[in-house]
Amino acid sequence: MLAKPTPLGTESPTEVPLLNAPLARVVAQVRFPPILAIRKIDGMVDFQEALRADFPHLQRNDIRSVEVEPGREPNVSETVIWRLSDGPEPTAWRVSLGIDFVALDTYRYVSREDFLDRLRKVLDSVAACFEPAEAQRLGLRYIDRLERSALHEIGQLIQPGVLGIFSPGGGSPDILRKATAHLMTEAQFAAEEGAIQGRWGNLPANATYDPDTLQPIGEESWVLDLDMFSLQALPFKSDELISTTRTFSKRLYSVFRLMVTEEFLRFYGGQP
């Protein structure tokens, strides 16, 4: 019988600000029991007004999905996702609201506290306008993307054990590395505060594995995608949710620091 993994713990290292951080996207999401009133435009009036100063653009996305099971008629379902953003596409900051979730995402991340302050306002607005019974899932996700000159230095920026076959070395692995068009590693880490889903590797030009979150670009890149979540039910109260999100952010940062080198910090404008 395999032993359970030792959960990640201890204090997070002191944060080193990066002047040119390669963050492609940061996303926080809270799921809650379905609220059908969110489908109706009348139910959105107060919510939009609460956030309109920061997110003046509103868009309705009607989503249709089809489930096909052998021997049964296809099951067609429809739902709606409201998108509130700070501008037309591409949006720097965006709120997504569905009947059972709310999310805040950005590619213009400034700091942990700035992100949490914005998230608090979103959660306060959901609580005031829709009064969800509870938060059923809380997730926080950071996606870094290394491009151009960083790819040439990747052996000095990312820990060799993380790079795997993509690590510059020599011999047979080097031959395979140069022939690699796409390589993605997935792992789930156990942490004291929740689970972390990790995904990292190189992407060819114009490729993505998550079109809504990671936009494809016209050149090769290397991504580090860390997503921490908990399925423990919590009261839908912004103070408690923000506190947990802050804890997640610190844990994700500690994992990030285990995967990159000090040269990575210097390369992107930090002073370790």
Side-chain angles (χ1 to χ4, degrees):
M1 180 181 295
L2 294 175
K4 290 185 178 180
T6 301
L8 294 165
T10 71
E11 290 294 320
S12 176
T14 301
E15 190 169 0
V16 177
L18 304 180
L19 297 177
N20 305 301
L23 275 169
R25 187 71 62 177
V26 179
V27 186
Q29 185 193 75
V30 180
R31 303 197 73 90
F32 47 80
I35 300 174
L36 299 183
I38 292 174
R39 288 179 175 172
K40 302 176 182 179
I41 194 167
D42 291 348
M44 283 295 296
V45 174
D46 291 342
F47 184 73
Q48 182 197 22
E49 195 60 27
L51 297 175
R52 189 160 57 89
D54 296 321
F55 303 95
H57 293 258
L58 175 65
Q59 181 180 359
R60 173 184 173 129
N61 289 8
D62 293 298
I63 310 296
R64 173 176 291 186
S65 60
V66 180
E67 289 185 23
V68 179
E69 296 184 17
R72 296 188 178 184
E73 291 291 323
N75 180 29
V76 181
S77 60
E78 295 184 354
T79 190
V80 61
I81 296 178
W82 300 95
R83 311 282 194 186
L84 292 81
S85 61
D86 62 347
E89 295 289 344
T91 61
W93 289 88
R94 180 179 67 171
V95 175
S96 300
L97 179 66
I99 65 168
D100 59 358
F101 80 94
V102 64
L104 173 67
D105 70 86
T106 183
Y107 69 81
R108 196 169 290 170
Y109 185 87
V110 176
S111 69
R112 178 183 298 151
E113 293 307 316
D114 174 72
F115 185 84
L116 293 176
D117 285 345
R118 295 170 187 263
L119 179 62
R120 181 189 296 275
K121 188 171 183 178
V122 172
L123 296 177
D124 282 342
S125 300
V126 174
C129 296
F130 300 107
E131 300 181 341
E134 62 183 6
Q136 296 178 322
R137 184 188 188 278
L138 172 62
L140 180 64
R141 184 178 179 189
Y142 288 81
I143 306 176
D144 287 279
R145 174 151 51 191
L146 282 62
E147 308 170 44
R148 303 184 182 92
S149 61
L151 293 182
H152 300 294
E153 305 292 335
I154 197 165
Q156 284 72 51
L157 305 181
I158 306 296
Q159 296 289 352
V162 174
L163 285 176
I165 200 173
F166 205 64
S167 179
S172 298
D174 200 45
I175 295 172
L176 291 173
R177 177 182 64 83
K178 292 177 180 178
T180 300
H182 172 73
L183 174 66
M184 196 63 61
T185 299
E186 293 191 24
Q188 188 170 99
F189 305 107
E192 291 179 345
E193 307 86 353
I196 301 173
Q197 188 71 38
R199 180 182 292 173
W200 59 91
N202 69 306
L203 288 174
N206 303 311
T208 183
Y209 52 85
D210 188 346
D212 188 55
T213 304
L214 186 66
Q215 297 297 314
I217 59 175
E219 57 188 296
E220 182 184 10
S221 61
W222 192 91
V223 298
L224 173 57
D225 183 344
L226 297 174
D227 182 1
M228 186 166 192
F229 60 93
S230 172
L231 300 178
Q232 179 182 355
L234 296 170
F236 201 99
K237 297 180 179 179
S238 61
D239 285 348
E240 189 165 345
L241 293 171
I242 291 298
S243 177
T244 303
T245 306
R246 179 179 286 108
T247 300
F248 282 10
S249 179
K250 291 179 179 180
R251 176 61 58 218
L252 287 172
Y253 184 71
S254 68
V255 174
F256 165 78
R257 287 290 299 272
L258 289 171
M259 300 177 83
V260 305
T261 65
E262 288 200 354
E263 183 57 33
F264 179 103
L265 305 179
R266 285 188 283 269
F267 185 90
Y268 286 105
Q271 297 182 354

